[in-house]
Amino acid sequence: MDRLLVKGPTKLEGTVEISCSKNAYLPILAGVLLTMEPVVLVDLPKLRDVKTMNKLLAELGVVITYEGNKTTYDSSNITSCEATYELVKTMRASILVLGPLLARFQKATVSLPGGCAIGARPVDIHLRNFERMGVEIELDSGNVVAKTAGLEGHELNLSFASVGATENLMLGAVLAKGTTIIKNAAREPEIIDLANFLTTLGAKVSGEGTNEITIDGVEKLHGGEYRAIGDRIEAATYVIAGLITKSEIEVTNFIPEHLGAVFSILEGMGAKIERGENGVRVFPSTLTGATIDTAPYPGFPTDVQAQMMTLLGVVSSSSVLTEHIFENRFMHVPELNRMGAKIALNGSVAMLEGKCSYKAAPVMCTDLRASAALVLAALVAEGETEIRRIYHLDRGYEHLEKKLSALGANIKRSRE
Ligand code: UD1
């Protein structure tokens, strides 16, 4: 198993280019199932989650060809409508093939994603709303077995603005009969990107980015070419890397507006961030603590909570951080405390004293963003930090050690 060795403390300098968003591309990849014609995706990040989705699509019969930075998907000959446990268990986003398969083939069997490290993460909102669109759903031996005489447009009202459920229902509704209105829809930038992708293929979607999305079903979709937005979570991670190391760095290829809530918190703490159209420049800053509550977009993203916690560990005053989206998303806390942070937990609330100096220690990754939090601590920790189980990082950070090394970090990958 691979591990990372990071020698700190370090200063960073230069420019880092952010990859295209994994969380935008995963639903788009499920969306290639919707058309008989070829779909070309540009600059897909080389990440484990993308590979897993490609493997799942290939198992369903999609023919995938790679040429330079373009990947072409031919879904004209789908041979199976079943997503097996082996793949779904490694990536919960596999559930997103449910909508496209139901829309095009009127049936799908998708293994039920189990609990995952950061919480129970049920899919009840997906299933309940597909039922409203005319789908019969049975649970059989851990599988969701779904069939329909044809998806019907419906007015849906989500009990929570779930990102995945909004995406899955959009993916089904584009080929449904009639109009679907998704109320209390998620508003994340990745939802807008999915709408833009589907529109490129001829779908009729409006209202994306608001809490009410309207989709007029069409008979079929055509092919097309698409490049997803920059990864706002990866961007936030590098911005925090710049701030924690008190460095001046430039972070490019993402839309700063997508990190509005993160930047306003950081600026409130004293961070100097110069926003451009396609990225930001971060300057060495003296930072104080903050009170942060994670929330659905446009609120503070849960996916930046762990990285932010690492930063709050070293600032000059105390902070309170409350996690509202996932019930068990504090697994990085004991590891950060082992490196010297002073974080106390009370349910979903983390209280940080600040003013810590991280010290190197062997630490273990527990989930994707928790792993990024440990890398950030290691950048400023005195000594060599050994970070194990980095397969979590490989799910979501393309070329992490290459990008950090190019900025001047002392980081290398080796076998355990
Ligand atoms: C997506 C992101 C993930 C991010 C999360 C919240 C992808 C691939 N993943 O995950 O990185 O952390 O949004 O911004 O884009 N819930 C239910 N029932 C459901 C669906 C969700 O109870 O049917 C709950 C979940 O357990 C969780 C909350 O709603 O507590 C948020 O989940 P959701 O917005 O669906 O997140 P994901 O789409 O899984």
Side-chain angles (χ1 to χ4, degrees):
M1 226 184 279
D2 284 359
R3 62 183 179 160
L4 282 179
L5 297 171
V6 186
K7 267 196 203 129
T10 191
K11 280 260 180 208
L12 305 178
E13 63 171 329
T15 300
V16 57
E17 195 178 322
I18 297 306
S19 301
C20 286
S21 163
K22 154 184 104 73
N23 284 357
Y25 259 137
L26 291 177
I28 289 173
L29 282 164
V32 306
L33 289 164
L34 287 163
T35 173
M36 298 276 286
E37 295 179 20
V39 174
V40 179
L41 300 179
V42 182
D43 289 334
L44 270 177
K46 291 180 184 61
L47 295 171
R48 198 157 62 92
D49 278 4
V50 170
K51 278 193 198 133
T52 305
M53 191 56 111
N54 278 343
K55 208 163 157 199
L56 170 54
L57 292 174
E59 273 186 13
L60 302 179
V62 180
V63 177
I64 308 175
T65 44
Y66 302 88
E67 208 186 320
N69 65 342
K70 295 191 177 180
T71 312
T72 304
Y73 295 82
D74 175 352
S75 305
S76 57
N77 190 20
I78 296 302
T79 48
S80 158
C81 285
E82 189 170 348
T84 56
Y85 181 63
E86 281 317 301
L87 288 172
V88 177
K89 76 169 189 219
T90 59
M91 190 184 64
R92 178 187 152 79
S94 316
I95 189 79
L96 294 173
V97 298
L98 187 61
L101 289 175
L102 281 169
R104 205 169 134 209
F105 304 101
Q106 290 75 52
K107 61 178 186 182
T109 300
V110 179
S111 178
L112 205 53
C116 77
I118 60 175
R121 298 184 93 173
V123 288
D124 54 313
I125 304 172
H126 303 233
L127 303 186
R128 208 175 311 131
N129 287 287
F130 276 124
E131 283 175 340
R132 291 190 182 119
M133 293 177 75
V135 179
E136 265 176 52
I137 291 175
E138 274 178 45
L139 295 182
D140 179 29
S141 320
N143 292 319
V144 175
V145 182
K147 57 179 195 285
T148 176
L151 285 177
E152 289 156 24
H154 204 280
E155 188 172 308
L156 310 172
N157 200 339
L158 308 192
S159 54
F160 176 82
S162 153
V163 176
T166 304
E167 292 166 345
N168 220 343
L169 295 163
M170 286 168 76
L171 287 162
V174 287
L175 291 182
K177 197 161 167 239
T179 300
T180 301
I181 298 173
I182 307 175
K183 292 188 167 175
N184 197 27
R187 292 186 280 166
E188 270 68 2
E190 293 76 18
I191 302 278
I192 301 179
D193 218 31
L194 177 61
N196 290 341
F197 164 73
L198 292 169
T199 304
T200 304
L201 304 190
K204 295 207 156 47
V205 184
S206 60
E208 68 276 11
T210 75
N211 58 11
E212 187 171 311
I213 300 176
T214 303
I215 298 152
D216 290 315
V218 295
E219 230 158 71
K220 63 179 188 172
L221 295 179
H222 50 71
E225 180 169 315
Y226 198 76
R227 182 180 192 272
I229 49 172
D231 190 323
R232 64 193 167 106
I233 308 302
E234 188 196 11
T237 306
Y238 283 100
V239 166
I240 294 174
L243 289 169
I244 200 165
T245 56
K246 295 200 182 296
S247 305
E248 180 178 336
I249 63 166
E250 195 184 9
V251 184
T252 63
N253 188 37
F254 79 102
I255 300 170
E257 200 187 307
H258 292 166
L259 285 176
V262 175
F263 291 156
S264 64
I265 290 276
L266 288 171
E267 282 161 354
M269 291 163 62
K272 286 182 225 133
I273 300 169
E274 193 179 278
R275 305 188 203 190
E277 248 177 43
N278 190 37
V280 296
R281 185 172 279 280
V282 185
F283 297 91
S285 315
T286 303
L287 302 177
T288 54
T291 300
I292 300 174
D293 289 79
T294 63
Y297 192 85
F300 190 94
T302 173
D303 284 355
V304 184
Q305 179 257 104
Q307 304 90 309
M308 192 67 183
M309 184 107 72
T310 304
L311 181 64
L312 294 176
V314 299
V315 300
S316 68
S317 56
S318 60
S319 301
V320 179
L321 200 161
T322 308
E323 170 60 53
H324 294 276
I325 309 292
F326 293 110
E327 69 268 29
N328 186 25
R329 207 173 195 179
F330 280 146
M331 283 171 306
H332 42 286
V333 169
E335 298 296 291
L336 287 177
N337 280 345
R338 291 183 61 237
M339 294 180 73
K342 292 173 214 126
I343 309 170
L345 287 181
N346 183 0
S348 59
V349 184
M351 281 144 305
L352 296 98
E353 274 184 34
K355 296 184 224 151
C356 88
S357 316
Y358 289 114
K359 297 267 178 327
V363 286
M364 199 90 90
C365 297
T366 49
D367 70 61
L368 173 55
R369 307 304 169 186
S371 316
L374 298 177
V375 173
L376 291 169
L379 289 176
V380 286
E382 196 72 49
E384 185 175 76
T385 301
E386 179 192 355
I387 306 176
R388 294 188 187 165
R389 297 205 183 155
I390 55 167
Y391 52 84
H392 289 291
L393 272 172
D394 295 335
R395 284 189 42 214
Y397 287 91
E398 190 180 35
H399 305 315
L400 176 86
E401 62 271 27
K402 238 195 228 168
K403 288 186 185 184
L404 277 174
S405 298
L407 290 174
N410 189 334
I411 178 168
K412 62 175 195 251
R413 184 182 285 251
S414 78
R415 290 252 142 202
E416 263 179 40

